Amino acid sequence: MEKRFMKGCEAIAEAAVRGGCRFFAGYPITPQNEIPEYLSWRLPEVGGAFVQGESEVASINMVYGAAATGKRALTSSSGPGISLKAEGISYLASAQLPAVIVNISRGGPGLGSIQPAQSDYLQATKALGHGGFRAMVFAPATLQEAVDLTYNAWDYAERYRNPVMILMDGCLGAIMEEVELPEMKNSNPEDIEDWCLDRIGDRTDSHMITPILPEPALELLNKGKAMQYKMWEMLDTKVEEFMLEDAEYVVVAYGIAARVAKEAILRLREEGYKVGMVRPITLYPFPKASLNNLDYTKVKGVIDIEMTIPAQMREDIELQVKDRCPVHEYGRSGGMLLDDEGVYEAIAEIVKGGE
Amino acid sequence: MAEYKRPKSLMPMATGYCPGCLHALATRLVADVIDELGQAENAINVVSVGCSALNLYSWCGDVIGSAHGRAPAVATGVKRCLPERLVFTYQGDGDLAAIGLAEIMSAANRGENFTVVFANNQTYGMTGGQMAPTTLLGQKTTTSRDGRDCLTTGYPMKMCELISVLEAPVFVARYALNTPKGVMDAKKGIKKAFEKQLRGEGFTFIELLTNCPTNWGMNPLDTLEYMNTNTIPYFTPGVFKDKEAEK
Ligand SMILES: Cc1ncc(C[n+]2csc(CCOP(=O)(O)OP(=O)(O)O)c2C)c(N)n1
């Protein structure tokens, strides 16, 4: 294992290469430019290809073409660029192509702000494109977690033949931390010879990659996918449960918000308040059980903390809390950052007000 | 005497095109050339959105369907990952010259080593005959009922001319499929483009002037005459760029 002090965007770019990524296409947009910049020289070093697309629309379609060949393909962008990729991501889903999309999110809506924000939760988890499909969404809170999730992202994408999203905000993309980099993965993924365009072995039959299907086949695909989404929920949900055993107040936060909230929780614990946290690592599948199974004879309130206004995860939380306790929310938005003091004050007011 | 046989690259089934549609002939020409070059198993057909999406089902070799206008981006991804394969897109004029303008110009400008076959029927066939960027002035369509008016919709776009001013493309040519000579020339042009690609020379672009009996509201024979008197005078057939010949 190799340890390096790295910037978030560069760390996930390197983790992607080590995870077997051999194709990248993307279009410049702040705050994720370090990803294409890094991969522009790094991919050729390992025999991969880098293309600076003429737009996000073109880039996601290049990734669609590359993924169809069986190569591990990546694109990254932020806010407005992810909106432009929506059609292409939907095509990946319908053609059942594995690929990874990174969103280093910024303030929205519109051109919004280039400063960090968690403003794309709903887009990522409910509708990355038209047509009603889902993708796994990984939301790391540390750079080590970002490296590990990126490294393994294609395994999920290929297992389920579905696009996968890594969602982190501009803070995580820009900060520097020490990371342990895993070994280079075998870049020849398994089980792709049955469908990909590459002629692996002595294939003589032909393969069709299609984003359009006859109606009965399309319904069948959608039914299969619906079952697959249930399977993700059972097998692949990732969550961190922090100080929940005796918690009377439960914070729900992901990514950068969870890091800030953890500091506030530790401070309140020192003051004697029983606060814990549920931190979704997969935003989809959402860690429903962690919230549904809380002991609501003890829990007096759930606090949704997000770096966006209004809170976007709230409905997912409320569906699990089922009115068994009040749900509160606190956030900052538009590129205004969550800070230690603000988050502490917001949680403290609810916790102490409940006495 | 030449035998008239179904190309191996096409499924033994009806194409699905309307009677008299030159898409069917254009597809057949591409398939013939691929057979002749022994590339049936090596070719990857990047299908676009439009009437030619029918080729998804009638093509025997490897095939990938792409989003409307994005075939050159998809082909870029495919070819960069599989440089040894013969990769081509087949696109209509709405697909290539309207929604996909950025993708075609950028792929051409990067000099991607694949071939674009551009079927220009001067209308949006699949969606029912709306005005295309290539619709001739005065031509009636469902969105230009009194005929295309340059004052509000500009002029028919000449893609070969546009692409041939770029540095990177190595072969850019236009052929009309309304006469036997045009068909024979087109086949030679497609072959030349594919051979150049197989030698790794760079971006090749073949425009085929076609018809749309259904949406032009004409019987197939009349469309051929209409092409002679209207289409060809505006969209001049010929070789617009041949880097080899320039040397
Ligand atoms: C994003 C998007 N917009 C619009 C359409 C609808 N659409 C399907 S085919 C087509 C026109 C195709 O016309 P052309 O490229 O000229 O090919 P033709 O059908 O004439 O061969 C359009 C607009 C679509 N499929 N996707």
Side-chain angles (χ1 to χ4, degrees):
Chain A
M1 286 280 183
E2 181 188 345
K3 280 192 176 178
R4 260 195 241 170
F5 190 60
M6 291 185 95
K7 194 173 182 175
C9 282
E10 295 184 345
I12 57 173
E14 180 59 30
V17 169
R18 290 174 185 239
C21 172
R22 290 297 176 272
F23 183 87
F24 178 94
Y27 186 81
I29 186 170
T30 308
Q32 61 81 56
N33 294 319
E34 293 86 345
I35 297 175
E37 284 167 359
Y38 188 93
L39 291 172
S40 69
W41 61 265
R42 182 67 173 117
L43 275 173
E45 271 188 1
V46 294
F50 167 90
V51 185
Q52 182 165 322
E54 56 272 28
S55 69
E56 288 84 353
V57 175
S59 301
I60 189 71
N61 285 288
M62 290 174 189
V63 161
Y64 173 92
T69 70
K71 289 281 188 321
R72 294 190 156 181
L74 173 72
T75 185
S76 66
S77 191
S78 184
I82 299 291
S83 291
L84 282 185
K85 290 185 197 292
E87 184 196 28
I89 299 173
S90 177
Y91 273 62
L92 285 169
S94 76
Q96 300 185 74
L97 292 177
V100 177
I101 301 116
V102 173
N103 181 357
I104 306 292
S105 64
R106 58 190 244 174
L111 189 52
S113 156
I114 61 171
Q115 296 302 326
Q118 294 183 309
S119 47
D120 297 340
Y121 176 93
L122 285 172
Q123 180 195 42
T125 59
K126 312 295 178 201
L128 268 174
H130 64 282
F133 68 94
R134 299 297 173 102
M136 281 188 177
V137 182
F138 294 114
T142 66
L143 296 197
Q144 187 62 55
E145 200 171 49
V147 163
D148 297 340
L149 290 169
T150 306
Y151 183 68
N152 292 321
W154 282 272
D155 298 341
Y156 291 98
E158 282 158 14
R159 186 176 313 147
Y160 299 122
R161 291 186 59 188
N162 205 73
V164 165
M165 171 163 275
I166 295 178
L167 179 62
M168 34 192 251
D169 71 281
C171 287
L172 287 170
I175 60 169
M176 293 188 80
E177 284 183 321
E178 188 182 67
V179 290
E180 241 181 47
L181 294 169
E183 295 298 315
M184 196 69 92
K185 232 178 234 188
N186 176 6
S187 66
N188 295 317
E190 286 165 40
D191 301 331
I192 56 163
E193 61 272 15
D194 296 343
W195 57 265
C196 79
L197 293 177
D198 198 0
R199 293 210 168 237
I200 297 171
D202 293 325
R203 170 162 79 85
T204 49
D205 63 334
S206 55
H207 285 168
M208 173 165 70
I209 305 286
T210 179
I212 179 172
L213 289 166
E215 290 74 11
L218 185 53
E219 187 182 53
L220 210 64
L221 171 72
N222 290 338
K223 282 181 173 171
K225 282 290 173 184
M227 271 158 57
Q228 196 183 80
Y229 304 153
K230 289 264 178 256
M231 206 156 89
W232 299 352
E233 208 174 302
M234 289 187 310
L235 301 179
D236 302 312
T237 302
K238 291 182 201 294
V239 61
E240 180 193 347
E241 297 180 347
F242 180 67
M243 294 188 152
L244 281 188
E245 300 78 35
D246 59 345
E248 294 177 351
Y249 287 90
V250 175
V251 169
V252 187
Y254 72 91
I256 192 70
R259 283 178 76 144
V260 183
K262 205 177 237 182
E263 294 301 317
I265 290 167
L266 290 171
R267 207 167 132 190
L268 283 159
R269 281 274 171 182
E270 269 174 30
E271 295 173 29
Y273 296 99
K274 292 174 177 163
V275 189
M277 177 164 67
V278 170
R279 176 173 75 87
I281 299 170
T282 50
L283 301 183
Y284 193 90
F286 189 72
K288 294 178 182 171
S290 297
L291 283 163
N292 189 31
N293 299 343
L294 290 174
D295 180 358
Y296 286 96
T297 59
K298 271 197 299 216
V299 174
K300 297 177 192 162
V302 168
I303 309 159
D304 176 5
I305 303 213
E306 295 179 59
M307 205 152 73
T308 190
I309 297 174
Q312 298 186 21
M313 194 165 45
R314 185 177 181 129
E315 282 91 345
D316 282 339
I317 296 169
E318 283 175 340
L319 279 171
Q320 302 311 316
V321 173
K322 302 185 187 103
D323 285 331
R324 286 175 286 180
C325 76
V327 175
H328 310 268
E329 69 178 65
Y330 172 75
R332 296 298 302 273
S333 171
M336 302 300 292
L337 304 188
L338 288 172
D339 58 36
D340 286 343
E341 209 47 40
V343 172
Y344 168 82
E345 292 292 345
I347 302 175
E349 194 184 310
I350 294 160
V351 171
K352 295 179 184 177
E355 278 179 341
Chain B
M1 212 181 95
E3 238 187 303
Y4 194 75
K5 281 193 305 200
R6 176 186 296 281
K8 278 207 298 285
S9 293
L10 289 179
M11 297 271 189
M13 59 185 262
T15 62
Y17 290 115
C18 302
C21 173
L22 290 173
H23 264 311
L25 177 59
T27 305
R28 194 216 145 89
L29 287 180
V30 174
D32 271 338
V33 171
I34 286 175
D35 281 6
E36 283 171 24
L37 293 172
Q39 292 290 317
E41 278 181 15
N42 193 45
I44 297 178
N45 182 347
V46 182
V47 169
S48 65
V49 172
C51 290
S52 59
L54 289 168
N55 289 352
L56 269 177
Y57 303 110
S58 59
W59 198 259
C60 285
D62 288 345
V63 51
I64 175 168
S66 35
H68 195 24
R70 317 302 170 207
V74 173
T76 297
V78 171
K79 185 75 183 192
R80 294 282 185 121
C81 291
L82 301 176
E84 305 302 324
R85 302 290 292 273
L86 178 74
V87 177
F88 68 96
T89 71
Y90 182 106
Q91 304 174 253
D93 45 315
D95 190 89
L96 183 139
I99 194 167
L101 254 188
E103 281 75 11
I104 188 62
M105 296 307 288
S106 304
N109 190 48
R110 286 192 304 268
E112 297 291 342
N113 187 34
F114 59 74
T115 302
V116 171
V117 179
F118 170 40
N120 176 1
N121 63 3
Q122 301 108 60
T123 190
Y124 285 70
M126 179 61 118
T127 40
Q130 295 82 9
M131 192 190 75
T134 44
T135 295
L136 295 173
L137 289 185
Q139 188 182 334
K140 290 182 177 151
T141 72
T142 58
T143 51
S144 58
R145 289 174 56 162
D146 300 327
R148 181 175 187 172
D149 176 3
C150 63
L151 289 178
T152 50
T153 61
Y155 296 82
M157 224 184 242
K158 298 176 171 177
M159 291 311 298
C160 277
E161 286 81 341
L162 277 174
I163 286 170
S164 60
V165 300
L166 299 172
E167 281 303 322
V170 294
F171 186 61
V172 179
R174 178 187 291 134
Y175 305 95
L177 296 189
N178 64 330
T179 64
K181 179 170 189 314
V183 173
M184 300 313 278
D185 287 349
K187 191 171 165 187
K188 280 186 208 137
I190 296 167
K191 194 165 193 174
K192 182 164 175 171
F194 282 171
E195 283 169 343
K196 284 180 173 296
Q197 181 189 158
L198 288 169
R199 289 196 297 267
E201 289 180 26
F203 186 83
T204 45
F205 186 86
I206 302 290
E207 177 172 342
L208 303 175
L209 296 176
T210 58
N211 63 349
C212 183
T214 302
N215 290 302
W216 289 4
M218 284 178 211
N219 76 49
L221 275 181
D222 289 347
T223 64
L224 304 184
E225 188 45 40
Y226 176 91
M227 285 172 74
N228 254 341
T229 48
N230 296 275
T231 317
I232 289 171
Y234 186 84
F235 290 112
T236 320
V239 174
F240 291 82
K241 185 162 192 179
D242 185 352
K243 270 205 176 161
E244 219 169 50
E246 285 165 21
K247 275 183 207 153

